Amino acid sequence: KQEVTQIPAALSVPEGENLVLNCSFTDSAIYNLQWFRQDPGKGLTSLLLIQSSQREQTSGRLNASLDKSSGRSTLYIAASQPGDSATYLCAVRDITGSGNTPLVFGKGTRLSVIA
Amino acid sequence: GAGVSQSPRYKVAKRGQDVALRCDPISGHVSLFWYQQALGQGPEFLTYFQNEAQLDKSGLPSDRFFAERPEGSVSTLKIQRTQQEDSAVYLCASSLETPFPINEQFFGPGTRLTVL
């Protein structure tokens, strides 16, 4: 059964710092990996989706990498801002014969960026 | 265009009551997923529809949970005889779902259920 782990569980940094969030998964047979942002009381906002054949994706100050063979992904946030404060969730989509599978999520990293 | 919408946004129920949670997916999206997110946890899969067919309900925690999507669009998640452990945020997601590549899921804002 796929398991997704995110480290650290919580992180507090001063504004302007670059930071890395880590995600690991136990089964490398995945279609893709997705990073989400969740603000308190809100739904999930997709940040980056990396297909299994890709190594990384970039969007603005965000860069996500994927090493499928080792079961790891990182989300790099450059020049952090207070508005980046949120919970960041990592999720993978497993490969099955049916082709349609749900996302398997980690528990998230709660990020606080202090002004 | 409009995203995934869910209603109600908040629901308070007394233990033992039945509740119904609604999800309106993005128009034209074939696949619809329900997830349950307990406090401090990541979302966990409940059930999956492809059009009106419920293809996977392996994540439903008990037979008190029932989901339907009769016309392949709007979906309803019903919880009978609610218990305190049912308190969570219930998230709905939809995707266009061509066979390949596997498309990303778009999430609604969720319904926060509190059972007293």
Side-chain angles (χ1 to χ4, degrees):
Chain A
K1 178 186 173 186
Q2 180 73 266
E3 293 184 3
V4 179
T5 302
Q6 291 188 245
I7 295 173
L11 181 63
S12 183
V13 300
E15 181 178 5
E17 272 203 7
N18 303 324
L19 57 101
V20 174
L21 307 182
N22 297 291
C23 172
S24 62
F25 47 97
T26 54
D27 188 343
S28 61
I30 62 171
Y31 280 123
N32 55 47
L33 182 144
Q34 208 165 348
W35 283 93
F36 293 88
R37 170 185 173 138
Q38 187 172 34
D39 293 282
K42 301 292 179 63
L44 305 181
T45 301
S46 179
L47 298 173
L48 291 164
L49 183 150
I50 310 176
Q51 302 290 357
S52 62
S53 58
Q54 298 175 321
R55 299 282 295 183
E56 66 177 341
Q57 283 284 344
T58 298
S59 176
R61 294 182 295 108
L62 306 179
N63 176 275
S65 67
L66 173 64
D67 184 343
K68 197 175 69 165
S69 61
S70 67
R72 296 180 186 275
S73 176
T74 61
L75 179 66
Y76 175 83
I77 302 177
S80 58
Q81 303 171 357
D84 295 331
S85 299
T87 296
Y88 291 80
L89 292 159
C90 169
V92 298
R93 198 150 186 202
D94 290 337
I95 293 175
T96 68
S98 69
N100 290 317
T101 54
L103 291 166
V104 180
F105 285 86
K107 293 184 177 182
T109 294
R110 191 170 64 254
L111 173 65
S112 297
V113 181
I114 311 302
Chain B
V4 179
S5 62
Q6 294 186 244
S7 61
R9 292 293 315 279
Y10 304 92
K11 177 70 178 178
V12 178
K14 292 182 179 179
R15 189 159 53 97
Q17 281 185 331
D18 297 348
V19 298
L21 312 180
R22 176 187 170 108
C23 172
D24 282 83
I26 294 172
S27 178
H29 276 197
V30 169
S31 294
L32 186 147
F33 296 82
W34 283 99
Y35 295 85
Q36 180 191 57
Q37 186 176 23
L39 189 64
Q41 304 294 313
E44 293 190 355
F45 168 72
L46 293 176
T47 186
Y48 160 66
F49 290 87
Q50 188 173 75
N51 295 305
E52 69 277 6
Q54 189 176 20
L55 299 187
D56 188 347
K57 53 182 180 179
S58 62
L60 295 177
S62 78
D63 58 7
R64 296 186 295 104
F65 287 71
F66 171 77
E68 60 183 5
R69 194 186 185 197
E71 298 179 359
S73 176
V74 171
S75 177
T76 303
L77 176 66
K78 298 179 180 178
I79 309 173
Q80 298 176 325
R81 304 181 304 281
T82 52
Q83 305 294 315
Q84 285 188 324
E85 62 262 28
D86 300 334
S87 296
V89 175
Y90 291 85
L91 295 164
C92 175
S94 71
S95 72
L96 185 60
E97 215 68 271
T98 53
F100 291 100
I102 301 298
N103 286 306
E104 67 179 289
Q105 297 175 22
F106 296 86
F107 282 79
T111 295
R112 181 178 297 277
L113 173 65
T114 302
V115 182
L116 303 177

